[in-house]
Amino acid sequence: MKHVFAFLTLFLLTTQLALAQEGGSLKRLTLRSDLLGFEAVGRLDMPGGFCSGALISSDLVLTAAHCIEDAVAKGSLDGVTFFAGLRDGEFVETSAAKLAVIHPNYDTGPNPGFRNIQYDVGLVVLKSPIPTATAAPFAVEALSRNEQEISVVSYARGRADALSREARCSVIDRDSDLIVFDCDIWFGSSGAPVFNTSGRRPRIVSVVSAVTKYRGQKAGLGMMLPARLAEVKQALRAGRGVVGGSEVNSRRIGVGDRDNSGARFVKP
């Protein structure tokens, strides 16, 4: 919708906004059986907190650019670690980050506009690939114009120790670059996969970038993903803006604060 921005008041989740953190439709994936099919969603830990992310190949984690922009700016991935299927201290696999890259057009300045959300895409290459038999990566596809029902699986403040899944939430508006949805996201949900679950296996159609006020209600924002992801992959192959190397050791909307299971959304 070409007028979508007329209704948006963006909160980068650095603001103090009294919003519900846990909705009744969220299911905590506490048991190993609860996690079945979502093992490839995990928590991406950084020295300053955490984000959510998902495997799109055995060694490639899709997340939000703003989750890793500090690491990219510093040129160091020390402490950047992905925990696939993390729940209450247990995980199906883990690996340190080897390389990271954000979209070449992502604006890391202090006052990015709404359109920056379309570029809020980052990739982390893992030092140790995670076997697909253990955590099957997700395919990425375009969000169909007729698709209205989506799902989000994420970590967040108050639920940092295990994934929570909202099986059904709705697309409430879109344009050629962005989607607006009513899924229950919060600090730490940044980078979480937004799924189309209409088929036999969920496919990722967007990545959680920010929270907003839309026509008076809380809403999430994500990008139309396939073209932007292809551009980040191209930058990775070309080595443009790529951080990391063989010496690297095994690290938001926002970044979650692991010390208090909270999180902040940094600017998207």
Side-chain angles (χ1 to χ4, degrees):
M1 299 286 182
K2 64 181 179 179
H3 300 301
V4 64
F5 293 102
F7 299 99
L8 294 177
T9 303
L10 184 65
F11 291 91
L12 304 182
L13 298 190
T14 53
T15 58
Q16 300 300 311
L17 188 63
L19 297 174
Q21 295 179 27
E22 186 90 14
S25 61
L26 287 172
K27 175 179 173 59
R28 191 181 196 270
L29 306 186
T30 302
L31 304 176
R32 181 64 180 86
S33 57
D34 296 332
L35 194 63
L36 188 64
F38 294 100
E39 295 91 345
V41 184
R43 201 174 77 182
L44 187 64
D45 283 9
M46 291 80 70
F50 70 90
C51 276
S52 303
L55 291 167
I56 56 172
S57 69
S58 62
D59 67 344
L60 202 58
V61 177
L62 173 66
T63 190
H66 73 256
C67 291
I68 55 174
E69 68 171 297
D70 285 350
V72 170
K74 293 174 183 176
S76 172
L77 298 178
D78 287 347
V80 180
T81 308
F82 181 68
F83 295 89
L86 178 69
R87 68 193 200 291
D88 298 323
E90 299 181 0
F91 46 84
V92 297
E93 289 285 349
T94 185
S95 176
K98 181 172 71 172
L99 303 171
V101 63
I102 63 177
H103 195 285
N105 293 341
Y106 179 75
D107 183 359
T108 60
N111 298 301
F114 280 106
R115 285 292 175 186
N116 200 41
I117 294 170
Q118 70 178 299
Y119 302 118
D120 194 9
V121 181
L123 291 172
V124 174
V125 180
L126 299 178
K127 188 174 183 179
S128 301
I130 294 175
T132 58
T134 301
F138 294 101
V140 173
E141 70 174 20
L143 180 68
S144 166
R145 180 176 296 275
N146 297 323
E147 192 65 50
Q148 297 298 323
E149 190 173 281
I150 55 176
S151 176
V152 170
V153 180
S154 69
Y155 299 89
R157 180 166 67 190
R159 44 189 172 94
D161 295 327
L163 285 164
S164 291
R165 181 188 179 205
E166 188 169 10
R168 286 185 296 276
C169 46
S170 300
V171 175
I172 54 179
D173 210 341
R174 69 185 84 195
D175 66 10
S176 60
D177 298 316
L178 303 181
I179 64 171
V180 187
F181 44 85
D182 64 2
C183 307
D184 192 347
I185 60 170
W186 197 233
F187 302 125
S189 296
S190 282
V194 179
F195 290 113
N196 177 355
T197 58
S198 61
R200 295 184 61 183
R201 175 161 169 77
R203 289 89 64 207
I204 301 175
V205 296
S206 188
V207 167
V208 172
S209 175
V211 71
T212 188
K213 279 283 190 175
Y214 183 80
R215 292 177 173 169
Q217 70 179 83
K218 175 191 172 187
L221 287 172
M223 70 297 300
M224 293 294 189
L225 185 59
R228 301 291 84 83
L229 176 58
E231 290 158 358
V232 180
K233 285 183 173 181
Q234 185 178 23
L236 178 63
R237 289 192 297 268
R240 297 196 309 273
V242 177
V243 170
S246 59
E247 310 84 23
V248 172
N249 298 318
S250 321
R251 157 196 172 238
R252 150 201 134 50
I253 328 186
V255 176
D257 179 355
R258 295 192 304 278
D259 292 337
N260 60 13
S261 295
R264 300 180 304 278
F265 277 55
V266 297
K267 55 183 179 295

